[in-house]
Amino acid sequence: MMPPASLIVAFERLLGPAGLLTDPHDTAPFATDWRGLYHGRTAIVLRPATTAEVVECVRLAAAARVPLVPQGGNTSMVGGAVPAEDGSEIVLSLCRLDRVRAIDPLDLTVTLEAGVTLKAAQDRAAAAGLWLPLSISSEGTADIGGVLATNAGGNNTLRFGNARERVLGLEVVLADGSLWNGLRRLRKDNTGYALRQLFVGSEGTLGIITAAVLRLEPAPAERAAAFVGLPSAEAALALLARLQRHDAAALIAFEYMSAAGLELVLTHIAATRLPLARPAPHYALIELAGSRPGAGLGPGLEAALAAALEEGEIIDAALASSEAQRTAFWRLREEHSEAQKLAGASVKNDISVPVPAIPDLLRRAAAAAHALVPGVRVAPFGHLGDGNIHFNLIQPEGASSESFLAQGEPLMEAVNEVVLSLDGSFSAEHGIGRLKPPMLARFRSPTEVSLLRRIKTALDPEGLLNPGKLLPMIRP
Ligand code: 2HG
Ligand code: ZN
């Protein structure tokens, strides 16, 4: 059922022409995910510019019992921000709430609105001599609201934790349109349940995050990065352990790439090249950073890698000798998603296992995928230091995308069986969204699913916030 015309008129009156989109041409990009897997419909896209306007939008929608789909940069990997196909839901975009409200170098905090992109937030921190150590491949588009709503992880989780570890305070519009101002910036604040943490990772199903206070760090004075070729996944673990012993406080990234994954980048992304003398079966990108000037991170890393070479843990290594080279190394890692998109249809498995189980995961999940779809291109990569692998499967060369995607469910199930047997998670850092609610019951006990459901019902009794995401839809 479409939202009533009177509601649309009320929104128009509230937000004015700059605050909404109604032309199907303009609303279409907000109703499709970037992977092109989901194609929803929305009669209107709300674009409030202030928290007060978000409050009014939610009040109007709640009174008319029309569901809202909060949306940030729309970079979800799991269809988390796409409205339903039947046009019954309305997209509420947070992108115009894009102010940095305050930054405090003494307190090491920044207070910013939901629509500030992660990249803009990083840049703002850097301009103040500070550091927001939260980094994901989509940071130029993803915004703070979405990053927090999905508890994004990314490249520096190993050292600094997931998005939730950055959050000191939140401002949230609740399902009935009331406003919770929890924008506190205290390191210690034991006053009952940690409400802010309920909203982090709730994927827009419990409330709409409009602003946040995040913890910052002093800017790094030094960085050192290396790109290494590895003989095996076991060697990757040995190297990780070595680097942690070497300097755990400075090790901010340990990213894994398979030979197949890197090959796709080198094939599909312009101006990329292997920085090593010869190819290897596995690769890692390592980064160290710290705020102490003159810490000698580069020479230290070089010595640790020389010892690793001696022990056969690595085959070859390249140390970044300039900022341009460090950026080039990171491009090889960060362009994996884009390269895989250009290579055809893919089935994404954002999974995690205990770190020691990574070699088993890679071997067994690859065997399971090959058994189901001979010729499938297995191109895992990701945040090895966190036990989080993007176990992505790309359609066999020359196969039709449709027939490959028709195998998506059995492929994900086969990978999930391996993950389950290794005590892992089917949803590591991308969230559950619309893709994964059916997997919940396989991985979580009825008691745990019931706890999730009871929290949802307590905060959104009418089921008006992002229906069908995170939890399976219950039709009234
Ligand atoms: C990354 O680590 C992102 O680059 C994207 O989480 C992963 O494309 C993917 O599956
Ligand atoms: Zn990732």
Side-chain angles (χ1 to χ4, degrees), residues 100 103 116-132 139:
V100 175
I103 187 156
V116 177
T117 64
L118 179 52
K119 177 78 174 59
Q122 293 165 353
D123 290 349
R124 184 66 184 80
L130 302 170
W131 184 21
L132 175 57
E139 61 201 20

Side-chain angles (χ1 to χ4, degrees), residues 136-137 153-155 255 333 350 381-383 388 390 429-430:
I136 60 178
S137 301
N155 306 333
E255 295 284 306
R333 164 60 188 82
D350 166 42
F381 66 101
H383 319 289
N388 173 199
H390 301 305
E429 63 165 2
H430 295 167

Side-chain angles (χ1 to χ4, degrees), residues 34-35 77 136-138 154-155 255 333-338 340 348-350 381-383 388 390-392 429-430:
W34 80 275
R35 295 177 65 191
M77 297 280 179
I136 60 178
S137 301
S138 56
N155 306 333
E255 295 284 306
R333 164 60 188 82
E334 302 229 288
E335 291 289 351
H336 267 63
S337 301
E338 190 58 29
Q340 296 188 354
K348 285 186 189 289
N349 296 281
D350 166 42
F381 66 101
H383 319 289
N388 173 199
H390 301 305
F391 198 86
N392 292 356
E429 63 165 2
H430 295 167

Side-chain angles (χ1 to χ4, degrees), residues 13-37:
R13 211 172 290 136
L14 172 69
L15 299 174
L20 46 87
L21 306 169
T22 48
D23 187 324
H25 203 76
D26 299 330
T27 58
F30 293 81
T32 304
D33 66 322
W34 80 275
R35 295 177 65 191
L37 284 188

Side-chain angles (χ1 to χ4, degrees), residues 42 53 56 234 432:
T42 183
E53 286 183 357
E56 287 311 316
E234 284 79 4
I432 295 176

